[in-house]
Amino acid sequence: MDNGGSVLSLSAPHFPYSATILRRHSPVASISFSLKPPPQPPQPPPEPLESPPDLRRPEKSLGFSSSSSSPSPTPSPKTPLKINPLKGLTNRSSVSPLVQSEVSSKVSSFGSSLASKLRLSSKLSPPPPPPPPPVEETQFRDDLRNDTKPPEEETRKPQQDFRQEGKIFVGNLPTWIKKPEFEEFFRQFGPIENVILIKGHHEVEKNAGFGFIIYAAEKSAMKAVEFDGVEFHGRILTVKLDDGKRLKTKAEQRVRWVQEGEEDAKMSNKSTWHQEREGSRKSLQRILDTNGDNWQAVISAFEKINKPSRTEFGLMVKFYGRRGDMHRARETFERMRARGITPTSRIYTSLIHAYAVGRDMDEALSCVRKMKEEGIEMSLVTYSVIVGGFSKAGNAEAADHWFDEAKRIHKTLNASIYGKIIYAHCQTCNMERAEALVREMEEEGIDAPIAIYHTMMDGYTMVADEKKGLIVFKRLKECGFTPTVVTYGCLINLYTKVGKISKALEVSRVMKEEGVKHNLKTYSMMINGFVKLKDWANAFAVFEDMVNEGMKPDVILYNNIIAAFCGMGNMDRAIQTVKEMQKLRHRPTTRTFMPIINGFAKSGDMRRSLEVFDMMRRCGCVPTVHTFNALINGLVEKRQMEKAVEILDEMTLAGVSANEHTYTKIMQGYASVGDTGKAFEYFTRLQNEGLEVDIFTYEALLKACCKSGRMQSALAVTKEMSARNIPRNSFVYNILIDGWARRGDVWEAADLIQQMKNEGVKPDIHTYTSFISACSKAGDMNRATQTIEEMEAIGVKPNIKTYTTLIKGWARASLPEKALSCYEEMKAMGLKPDKAVYHCLLTSLLSRASIAEAYIYSGVMTICKEMVEAGLIVDMGTAVHWSKCLCKIEGSGGELTETLQKTFPPDWSSHHHHHGFLDQISDVDSDEDDVDGEDDDDDVNSVSGFLSYK
């Protein structure tokens, strides 16, 4: 602006963006003040400088523009100019009245705010009394700095070099070539930092025919250029140094976009195809953020993206990884690589996470090996995912290995990876290691989140350490955490596991007082606790409370309720609950049907057990090895070994591999029937299939040998146990002692008891009972009596089975009065006689009553009356034998006959006249082995088969 005098022009700094910024933010392009120049020595008038119209100030001036009447001084090119451009503003006397009025009219509305900022920022001179014009503060400061810059600095500004050292251009490439082949060929000239292969526009599986190689050294690039014109897969390559044209074009586009407006430039430079593609990308991200559970919507949004980039592929791999869909995650990953997109560490981590969630850690480790082969660094998140995968798989040793590697590579760890390794050791009940990790984490200065407290509480629950679990709970509150439903759930689970359900109910009351509502898991824990205690009423009461609060049971809760019904023996109600689940669209699982199958199998109703098994299959549940084992267990208990083997064959056809429990149960079945050959056959199959042979397997084998009287084979089995370092427990010794007892070998049995004591195995009630049986078989009742005294001396009280064996021994020794004395002693100790006791005692007394004294006769009468009061009914064979004894005692009948016949079967009157029937029944003598109960495994109660409750 020329007002006839000197003009001070405070313009924007000289950089390419100034024009745009000034047009957007300030209505005033420049502000000029007419000033009277200070006295200067006479100089010739310089030629006026013309500025281009697009620049706001000349390149070689300080902002002073001269009129014809007012020449301006020209600075020396060798001496830097140090003139203060604000100096004239402080000299009020040198300003004409006209200019003063103009200045005051322009700055009157701005106050003194800018002046204070100038005092802090410029430090050039004290602020002028009148405030400066309305120019933005940052622009005003930049104007001052640029106006004081010497002209040499502006003229000597170096031009930017866009060429990158070590970068070469390679053209005329085969379109099918991939990055590995491209890199392998040019690696011969030196180490390569990066390879850029430009993809085709329409066919992204192919390249555009050219690419770039960035070498670590310029010398390698110069050497590669010498091979310009070399043949590569049938093409003559063009190899030359990169001229920087590509980067220069991008820089110019950036400047143009900023000058023209970034948003407008983006939209104006993007085609319709690019705009649609950008919209599809944003749509995918929006669906993942807001509706990630709807997998159909996510997949549909991804398929709409034309030519997805690495970002979109990475999002989809991450999406599948969270769902544990490792197959689709891998498919998406391979699609990305087929398009020539190199995966990053983050995408590899998402793929590893997919395998970890799917519990396929072998494939996860193969991804890790591939990452290392491609030189991709594993991040801390990658290690955390691997440690978490092994933790959930229960492999604490492998989790420790990768955790230690993470510590070696990454100096600083976080709470996430510590939480996962702590979880691994808590799941394996190694709480000492878990405590050490918590201590290590605290020493590193890492604050434990509330999830680690929950993990530790769950670990102490698994080892039933109530004290330490409560310590963690108290520490959680001391650290300022507010207990959540998960926290209280850990406490409830702890108390239900240790059997303190009353304290679990107290925790439930505290939850209600604190305003924390139960969820399905806490209710399920409480119901499960009551089911374990067989408190069915309270289990159903908790279920009703949950329903009254408006919560809908899930599959786990229904499974617990079904287990409660099965525990009560109400199998029909359990099946009805399964049908209710199906009506509510809950899909039953194999865990749903297991209690029902087990319930019918234990009750001996194998027909209904098999019906439920078929029902399970129709519901879409695939039978597991545990389901088949439940059926086999029921058939073995019924001694239906042929059907049990059929189930085993069906199991093999279904593709379900038998485990150790399957073969052990089959062996126990054959042991119970005394088929040693079959027991050894399945023992061999178990070993051939590589299954682990444990002590339960050897127990079944020993039982088969002892049952059949093959004691030498049993000794061979014990030698093999010793060779495998499997120690003998009390069950093994009891089986061996019982085997020798069946043969009446007191000395071998006594030797085994001495071996037990020498090896530190304490004899129990079963041991002494088997030894008493051996004494009874050998007729050494004095030693049997001494054994009773020894038991009482060491605090082992005889039970019903012990007295039954002793009574049988006295009967075998033809001393019924001693048997009756044992019976009275047993009742005096508060033991209630069972069916086997009545059978042994009464059979012994009836066989001697005709020649015995009167007190034996009265004893028989007393026992008969007790049987009648107890409602005992004997079977037909026992009734026939007792009837023969009664004929010897009373002849045509009497009081004893009348009393004893009350225990005979109801159809006795229609059968006892049939002499042919009586003749076919063999005499049952009290001295024979059929009343000794040897047909049962370890229980003389087999004679109870002769009796049943009315």
Side-chain angles (χ1 to χ4, degrees), residues 535-555:
D535 190 348
W536 319 118
N538 279 322
F540 292 123
V542 173
F543 183 78
E544 290 176 0
D545 290 342
M546 182 201 69
V547 175
N548 293 336
E549 289 187 8
M551 302 182 71
K552 295 182 179 180
D554 59 358
V555 176

Side-chain angles (χ1 to χ4, degrees), residues 716-750:
V717 172
T718 56
K719 289 181 180 179
E720 184 176 342
M721 290 177 62
S722 301
R724 291 177 176 264
N725 294 324
I726 298 178
R728 304 181 196 178
N729 57 16
S730 60
F731 296 100
V732 173
Y733 276 111
N734 291 343
I735 293 171
L736 292 172
I737 292 171
D738 185 67
W740 291 115
R742 290 174 184 273
R743 300 178 63 172
D745 197 332
V746 180
W747 301 106
E748 290 288 349

Side-chain angles (χ1 to χ4, degrees), residues 401-417:
H401 167 75
W402 289 99
F403 178 76
D404 293 338
E405 183 175 321
K407 284 199 296 186
R408 289 195 302 269
I409 295 178
H410 300 277
K411 302 301 181 183
T412 305
L413 303 182
N414 56 20
S416 174
I417 192 169

Side-chain angles (χ1 to χ4, degrees), residues 540-596:
F540 292 123
V542 173
F543 183 78
E544 290 176 0
D545 290 342
M546 182 201 69
V547 175
N548 293 336
E549 289 187 8
M551 302 182 71
K552 295 182 179 180
D554 59 358
V555 176
I556 297 176
L557 268 170
Y558 272 118
N559 290 349
N560 289 335
I561 291 299
I562 289 171
F565 282 124
C566 293
M568 294 174 61
N570 193 347
M571 309 302 296
D572 294 333
R573 187 69 180 89
I575 295 175
Q576 184 179 351
T577 306
V578 174
K579 295 178 180 178
E580 291 177 4
M581 288 178 63
Q582 293 174 322
K583 289 180 181 178
L584 295 174
R585 297 185 180 276
H586 288 298
R587 183 180 177 183
T589 63
T590 53
R591 194 179 293 270
T592 308
F593 292 98
M594 274 295 295
I596 306 176

Side-chain angles (χ1 to χ4, degrees), residues 20 282 294 393 404 656 671 743 769 930:
T20 304
K282 292 181 179 179
N294 189 349
D404 293 338
V656 180
R743 300 178 63 172
T769 302
D930 56 359

Side-chain angles (χ1 to χ4, degrees), residues 894-909:
E895 182 182 3
L896 180 60
T897 303
E898 183 181 352
T899 305
L900 192 58
Q901 283 185 352
K902 294 180 180 179
T903 64
F904 288 0
D907 54 350
W908 166 253
S909 58

Side-chain angles (χ1 to χ4, degrees), residues 431-549:
M431 297 308 298
E432 292 183 1
R433 174 64 176 155
E435 291 170 2
L437 287 167
V438 172
R439 187 161 47 250
E440 177 184 325
M441 183 179 66
E442 292 175 347
E443 290 173 356
E444 294 289 335
I446 301 173
D447 294 331
I450 193 171
I452 291 183
Y453 287 92
H454 294 159
T455 302
M456 294 296 292
M457 292 176 68
D458 186 57
Y460 288 124
T461 299
M462 296 179 70
V463 298
D465 194 338
E466 178 185 354
K467 182 180 179 181
K468 288 190 175 181
L470 292 177
I471 290 174
V472 175
F473 176 71
K474 292 177 182 177
R475 181 61 181 163
L476 179 146
K477 293 194 292 185
E478 290 172 359
C479 291
F481 291 109
T482 302
T484 63
V485 64
V486 179
T487 313
Y488 287 117
C490 290
L491 278 181
I492 292 173
N493 194 27
L494 172 63
Y495 285 127
T496 54
K497 285 289 178 67
V498 298
K500 298 182 179 180
I501 194 67
S502 59
K503 289 191 176 181
L505 293 174
E506 184 179 346
V507 173
S508 177
R509 287 192 292 269
V510 172
M511 286 178 64
K512 292 181 180 179
E513 293 173 0
E514 296 292 334
V516 180
K517 293 184 178 180
H518 281 277
N519 59 15
L520 291 176
K521 287 187 177 180
T522 54
Y523 276 122
S524 180
M525 291 172 187
M526 295 181 68
I527 293 174
N528 196 28
F530 283 118
V531 169
K532 286 182 178 179
L533 294 177
K534 298 183 179 181
D535 190 348
W536 319 118
N538 279 322
F540 292 123
V542 173
F543 183 78
E544 290 176 0
D545 290 342
M546 182 201 69
V547 175
N548 293 336
E549 289 187 8

